[in-house]
Amino acid sequence: MEEQEHSSIRLLNKQMFGKLCIIAVMMFGFGYLLVPLYKQICEITGINILAFQEGEGMKVKPIDNSQIDRSRTITVEFDANAHGPFRFRPTVNSMTVHPGEMAQVLYEVVNTQQHSVEAQAIPSYAPQQAAAHFKKVECFCFQQQTMSAGQARQMPVVFYLDPALPRDVKTITLSYTFFDVGGFDKKAEKPKDDKVDKAAVATAG
């Protein structure tokens, strides 16, 4: 009787050990697949999976790019202008990059109004010849921005410089002008209202 109990206990122990081994293998497999699964989800949802580093300029973690020209460096200067109720500025004035190297800069904007505002950023470059070689991977200028009342926001620009950039270009200035799109539309419509008013006055007279 006692031997049967011991046999039953040993059998239960073996079954439990087998279950634990299966669970351990499944957990290892899940952990191994977690990174590619996360990347796949990010690609489907459009979430930016670039790894960022804290520090000056919030520069993007360098990527393995055989086209990086490490024989020269370019100084990229950042400028900001606002047409509308905004405080708008880059978080750094300049950075130095190699052609072909991925980099990021943050622009900060604050809506100073007590109501929401629709805005659009328009980029410009100096010298002008650099425009064709300034490649933006991610930019807040790609679409209009809706800013709620008093909202502050940091917006990234992820970019690289084409290695085909002429060698005599040593410095590039990237400038953004941030427009109040709603305010611009209202100003554009105002002459039409004036015409209607004048016509109404003339008819009444």
Side-chain angles (χ1 to χ4, degrees):
M1 189 72 176
E2 187 175 348
E3 290 182 1
Q4 290 180 350
E5 291 180 358
H6 284 300
S7 297
S8 299
I9 292 173
R10 283 197 297 269
L11 179 61
L12 290 173
N13 288 339
K14 287 181 179 180
Q15 291 176 347
M16 180 63 69
F17 180 74
K19 290 179 181 179
L20 291 174
C21 288
I22 293 172
I23 293 173
V25 171
M26 290 177 63
M27 291 179 65
F28 176 80
F30 178 75
Y32 182 79
L33 293 174
L34 189 59
V35 173
L37 180 63
Y38 173 72
K39 290 183 178 180
Q40 191 69 27
I41 292 173
C42 288
E43 289 178 3
I44 293 172
T45 59
I47 299 173
N48 183 13
I49 61 172
L50 290 173
F52 301 110
Q53 294 177 333
E54 291 190 4
E56 185 176 358
M58 294 288 290
K59 197 172 182 180
V60 164
K61 185 178 180 180
I63 61 173
D64 184 14
N65 186 347
S66 60
Q67 295 184 348
I68 295 178
D69 183 358
R70 301 188 183 279
S71 67
R72 58 180 176 144
T73 56
I74 309 296
T75 299
V76 182
E77 298 176 339
F78 305 104
D79 186 37
N81 303 284
H83 288 184
F86 310 108
R87 292 200 302 271
F88 181 51
R89 68 179 185 88
T91 55
V92 294
N93 295 323
S94 65
M95 67 173 58
T96 301
V97 299
H98 299 291
E101 178 185 17
M102 197 76 72
Q104 173 178 282
V105 62
L106 292 175
Y107 272 73
E108 187 177 77
V109 62
V110 180
N111 176 18
T112 61
Q113 294 286 352
Q114 296 304 309
H115 57 79
S116 62
V117 178
E118 292 287 334
Q120 177 75 52
I122 306 296
S124 61
Y125 309 88
Q128 188 60 40
Q129 69 187 95
H133 302 281
F134 202 105
K135 308 297 183 180
K136 293 190 290 296
V137 178
E138 178 183 349
C139 182
F140 58 91
C141 62
F142 290 166
Q143 58 188 4
Q144 289 188 5
Q145 303 291 324
T146 301
M147 303 286 297
S148 59
Q151 183 182 8
R153 184 186 298 172
Q154 286 191 333
M155 305 178 294
V157 182
V158 180
F159 68 93
Y160 67 93
L161 303 179
D162 190 333
L165 179 73
R167 299 194 71 87
D168 61 337
V169 177
K170 307 295 184 183
T171 302
I172 297 175
T173 300
L174 172 64
S175 179
Y176 283 100
T177 302
F178 207 64
F179 289 94
D180 178 355
V181 177
F184 182 83
D185 289 343
K186 289 176 183 178
K187 291 179 182 178
E189 293 173 359
K190 190 173 181 180
K192 295 181 182 179
D193 296 338
D194 291 343
K195 289 180 180 179
V196 172
D197 292 343
K198 291 179 181 178
V201 172
T203 302

